[in-house]
Amino acid sequence: MAKSVSPDAISTLLANPTPDSSSDLPEIVVQVLDLKQSGNRYMFSASDGKLKLRAILPSSQYSDVLSGKIQNLGLIRILDYTLNDIPNKSEKYLIVTKCEPVSPALESEIRSEVKNEGGGIVLKPKQDSAVKIEGGIVLKPKQEVVSKSAAQIVHEQQRNVAPAARMAMTRRVRPLVSLNPYQGNWTIKVSVTSKGNMRTYKNARGEGCVFNVELTDEDGTQIQATMFNDAARKFYDKFVLGKVYYISKGTLKVANKQFKTVQNDYEMTLNENSEVEEAANEASFVPETKFSFVPIDQLGPYVNKSELVDVVGVVQNVSPTMSIRRKSNNESIPKRDITIADETKKTVVVSLWNDLATNIGQELLDMADKSPVVAIKSLRVGDFQGVSLSAISKSVIKIDPEIPEAKKLRCWYDSEGKDATMASVGSGSSPSSMNGSRSVYSDRVSLSYITSNLSLGEDKPAFFSLRGYISFIKPDQAMWYRACKTCNKKVTESIGAGYWCEGCQKNDEQCSLRYIMVVKVADESGEAYVSVFNEEAEKIVGCSADELDILKSQEGEDNPFQLKLKQATWVPHLFRVSVSQNEYNNEKRQRITARTVVPVDFAAESRLLLEDISKMRASQ
């Protein structure tokens, strides 16, 4: 028998907008139409052949969409759901909280012979006293249920009510994925997975205090909640990291992408009238860790932004633990760098700190020869070496996790990845990468624009891209420094023998040389001195600082050191530079630093010029 939709499935959903229990639901099979991604959610229209209903898939089913189990024109069985009203409209949204695939894509949309005069889409439930479903099942209209607040739920549970009654009360607890700003009363059950410090602020309206928490429900969906002033003082001590709470009487609004730290379209605000009650007599739950992976070659747009990223990669290298001294309090903290790669054939360095460096980091070092797969949640993206990642206090690392993305990456690496040539994503934020703020084609300016705007970089570094030539390298400058081979920090000669590293707190017999030099860069508009560090300087000079030091020690009529520097001049490069303000002898000076240096890709450069010409023509 061919699989098909359940007769009058949409009418069944509309007649029972919030089911008491998923076990009491009749068979509800609908066809998926117009399946598409919207932000970090998948939207579709649920159809039974006669009626349609706009719907949202749960995040737990995203892997089924990516794997092809849930397809457009396919069939799914709805196991649990909630209906939400759309403000100022008679429509409703179906929030699917649990479903399972029934059939892949059918040849066409299922259409019933019974035509609907309203165009086939009805979003308002019938007002009949009962809805009759084929097969003799009669569903009575749902009796109005009064939503219970968090305080009511906890209070009634503490009175040791019967288990069945307790389940009836908690059934109104909503999953985070179903919340939106237009709902009235709701109650959520969440665990505190991150808690910020109390902060003070001052603005035109006066002074105040604020703090925020990150909340996660049992499905792994997260949301950030913020509290100001009286609410902040009321709830700061109440929220404890790792504990579970019932929360009600909060408000939601669209999240500010500039400040959000979790993957959710909305953010929550709790005021002094909000209710927060600890689920003291219940077993706490460990929220499922949900990832939203960013491919390594797509990290560019996140550099120096507040938004955190999740990555999955194969471990290529694990460094020993090093000790880093904080400038703020001179405290030493452990750090360890791991290098990971993914199917984009790009690598990136991830810095682990404190317990992650000593515990998880040591575990990775012990199994580094097996190239484990790691999934890491909540990493900050920096611009060290072009693009780099750094763990923070709430970062989570899973080694060889049982998730589809990790299994797929493992298969790729074992079959071809281990023999592939990898390149650092920092060096790849270059000619061919037209995406992201790190591209050498974004924010393109001339040198004169930078040198004539002396206020650039006053508050924070400003980033630009430019195309120019190395016009001069001063040969008698201090072009390098002695560096520790472990942490690359500057070392000093020990009284006896060897070199002392203050960062690693150890003495080594040998050290390496690393470039720290100034070059003059010129373009058609002018010239300026640019500071260049080791990796970028090696691309300009064409050899390492150790090799150049050997050339400098050689004497002869044709000095190889001078010749090497001369060969490096008048070669075109693309630069990504930062502009900042430094103070020297009580005088502010502009400092231009090369963050990325890459050769010119003339084909890509030509395409850029053609795009500029097209824009000029369109504006005329």
Side-chain angles (χ1 to χ4, degrees):
M1 180 178 177
K3 293 178 179 176
S4 185
V5 297
S6 301
D8 297 321
I10 301 302
S11 296
T12 303
L13 294 171
L14 292 172
N16 192 16
T18 308
D20 292 350
S21 172
S22 59
S23 61
D24 296 334
L25 286 177
E27 176 88 353
I28 302 178
V29 177
V30 296
Q31 187 175 28
V32 177
L33 302 178
D34 303 321
L35 179 64
K36 61 184 178 182
Q37 188 171 4
S38 176
N40 62 350
R41 302 184 179 196
Y42 281 96
M43 318 284 288
F44 71 101
S45 292
S47 171
D48 64 2
K50 288 195 291 186
L51 307 180
K52 294 180 182 177
L53 193 60
R54 296 167 69 183
I56 300 175
L57 274 177
S59 55
S60 58
Q61 306 288 154
Y62 291 176
S63 58
D64 288 340
V65 177
L66 297 174
S67 64
K69 292 180 181 179
I70 295 179
Q71 301 177 6
N72 196 43
L73 297 179
L75 303 179
I76 61 170
R77 179 179 291 104
I78 297 176
L79 304 175
D80 199 8
Y81 66 91
T82 300
L83 280 179
N84 280 349
D85 292 314
I86 298 178
N88 303 322
K89 295 184 180 181
S90 59
E91 298 176 279
K92 290 182 180 290
Y93 245 115
L94 173 65
I95 309 295
V96 180
T97 52
K98 189 176 182 181
C99 69
E100 62 183 15
V102 173
S103 170
L106 305 179
E107 293 182 359
S108 61
E109 178 183 345
I110 297 175
R111 296 180 184 273
S112 173
E113 294 180 359
V114 179
K115 294 185 178 179
N116 176 33
E117 295 180 359
I121 303 178
V122 176
L123 296 171
K124 188 174 182 181
K126 295 179 181 180
Q127 300 301 317
D128 297 339
S129 60
V131 178
K132 188 167 184 177
I133 308 299
E134 200 172 290
I137 301 175
V138 176
L139 293 177
K140 292 183 179 180
K142 176 146 179 68
Q143 298 298 317
E144 186 175 348
V145 179
V146 178
S147 296
K148 297 185 188 305
S149 69
Q152 287 174 306
I153 291 176
V154 172
H155 177 68
E156 292 176 354
Q157 287 181 353
Q158 288 176 346
R159 289 163 52 193
N160 295 320
V161 296
R166 183 161 59 246
M167 289 179 61
M169 287 183 286
T170 59
R171 64 180 173 81
R172 296 299 296 172
V173 172
R174 294 183 179 273
L176 285 178
V177 72
S178 70
L179 299 186
N180 64 57
Y182 312 108
Q183 287 175 296
N185 293 331
W186 46 257
T187 299
I188 56 174
K189 182 181 179 182
V190 289
S191 173
V192 178
T193 49
S194 178
K195 180 181 176 181
N197 295 322
M198 182 76 79
R199 309 186 306 276
T200 57
Y201 64 88
K202 181 184 293 186
N203 56 28
R205 290 177 291 182
E207 298 181 0
C209 58
V210 60
F211 89 100
N212 54 56
V213 292
E214 290 176 12
L215 309 172
T216 309
D217 65 9
E218 290 184 271
D219 296 329
T221 305
Q222 292 184 296
I223 195 168
Q224 179 175 291
T226 303
M227 287 138 280
F228 294 91
N229 301 323
D230 290 342
R233 288 184 282 269
K234 177 180 178 181
F235 294 124
Y236 184 77
D237 292 329
K238 188 157 195 172
F239 278 119
V240 177
L241 196 64
K243 289 192 175 182
V244 178
Y245 298 85
Y246 288 105
I247 300 176
S248 60
K249 297 184 180 180
T251 58
L252 275 79
K253 64 178 181 179
V254 176
N256 187 334
K257 292 184 178 180
Q258 185 178 354
F259 301 109
K260 74 173 187 175
T261 58
V262 298
Q263 293 294 325
N264 199 313
D265 293 336
Y266 304 117
E267 60 186 4
M268 184 182 298
T269 301
L270 300 179
N271 57 38
E272 59 272 21
N273 297 319
S274 299
E275 294 186 357
V276 177
E277 296 291 339
E278 183 183 349
N281 295 334
E282 296 187 33
S284 61
F285 59 86
V286 178
E288 176 189 352
T289 302
K290 286 190 176 181
F291 296 94
S292 180
F293 294 118
V294 177
I296 292 178
D297 69 344
Q298 301 294 319
L299 290 172
Y302 299 91
V303 170
N304 293 332
K305 299 292 180 63
S306 60
E307 190 170 356
L308 304 177
V309 301
D310 306 339
V311 296
V312 60
V314 181
V315 176
Q316 302 287 285
N317 182 61
V318 182
S319 77
T321 303
M322 58 192 82
S323 182
I324 303 298
R325 197 174 296 277
R326 279 183 176 152
K327 292 182 180 179
S328 57
N329 55 13
N330 211 31
E331 178 187 356
S332 293
I333 56 174
K335 175 194 176 189
R336 190 192 301 268
D337 289 338
I338 65 171
T339 304
I340 63 173
D342 67 5
E343 291 171 285
T344 64
K345 298 181 181 178
K346 295 292 184 182
T347 64
V348 68
V349 174
V350 183
S351 296
L352 308 181
W353 306 87
N354 297 314
D355 291 342
L356 287 179
T358 54
N359 298 335
I360 297 286
Q362 185 60 46
E363 187 177 347
L364 289 173
L365 181 63
D366 294 340
M367 59 191 305
D369 57 330
K370 299 177 182 177
S371 300
V373 174
V374 291
I376 312 178
K377 185 172 185 64
S378 300
L379 291 169
R380 199 171 299 284
V381 187
D383 61 5
F384 180 68
Q385 295 182 343
V387 178
S388 61
L389 298 173
S390 181
I392 59 177
S393 59
K394 67 174 185 176
S395 298
V396 177
I397 301 179
K398 301 284 187 181
I399 301 176
D400 290 325
E402 292 293 323
I403 57 176
E405 295 88 347
K407 293 178 181 178
K408 181 182 176 184
L409 185 60
R410 168 55 63 194
C411 291
W412 168 80
Y413 186 77
D414 290 342
S415 60
E416 58 176 294
K418 59 185 176 184
D419 299 320
T421 302
M422 304 287 184
S424 170
V425 68
S427 61
S429 53
S430 57
S432 59
S433 66
M434 298 294 290
N435 54 345
S437 60
R438 296 296 306 173
S439 170
V440 288
Y441 288 107
S442 63
D443 313 313
R444 179 72 72 87
V445 298
S446 63
L447 268 173
S448 63
Y449 174 83
I450 297 175
T451 55
S452 62
N453 288 275
L454 299 179
S455 61
L456 287 175
E458 275 189 344
D459 298 325
K460 61 180 181 179
F463 291 85
F464 301 99
S465 298
L466 54 92
R467 175 185 172 183
Y469 296 81
I470 306 296
S471 60
F472 178 65
I473 303 176
K474 192 176 181 181
D476 57 350
Q477 65 176 303
M479 301 178 69
W480 49 70
Y481 68 96
R482 292 193 181 104
C484 172
K485 288 193 171 185
T486 302
C487 69
N488 295 330
K489 297 278 187 181
K490 186 176 180 180
V491 297
T492 55
E493 289 190 53
S494 299
I495 299 175
Y499 301 90
W500 172 256
C501 175
E502 187 67 25
C504 296
Q505 293 288 302
K506 66 178 182 178
N507 198 71
D508 277 335
E509 294 183 2
Q510 295 181 332
C511 68
S512 61
L513 299 181
R514 290 179 65 84
Y515 285 116
I516 178 169
M517 58 191 292
V518 176
V519 300
K520 185 179 282 188
V521 177
D523 68 2
E524 68 279 1
S525 68
E527 59 184 7
Y529 281 103
V530 178
S531 300
V532 186
F533 296 104
N534 193 62
E535 285 74 15
E536 282 65 44
E538 287 181 350
K539 298 172 189 175
I540 292 171
V541 179
C543 66
S544 67
D546 288 302
E547 293 169 332
L548 191 61
D549 183 46
I550 294 173
L551 295 180
K552 190 175 183 179
S553 64
Q554 297 176 9
E555 297 181 359
E557 190 172 323
D558 296 327
N559 190 318
F561 171 73
Q562 296 278 5
L563 182 61
K564 193 69 177 175
L565 296 183
K566 186 176 181 180
Q567 290 173 347
T569 59
W570 301 113
V571 177
H573 295 280
L574 299 179
F575 300 87
R576 183 75 180 173
V577 300
S578 65
V579 183
S580 58
Q581 297 283 342
N582 282 3
E583 192 169 305
Y584 181 74
N585 288 338
N586 295 323
E587 179 184 350
K588 283 191 175 181
R589 292 187 178 183
Q590 200 175 57
R591 178 184 174 91
I592 307 173
T593 304
R595 299 298 181 181
T596 303
V597 178
V598 295
V600 176
D601 182 332
F602 291 99
E605 194 75 9
S606 299
R607 286 193 294 271
L608 179 69
L609 292 173
L610 289 172
E611 288 176 9
D612 289 342
I613 292 171
S614 299
K615 292 176 183 177
M616 291 172 63
R617 285 179 175 174
S619 63
Q620 291 177 352

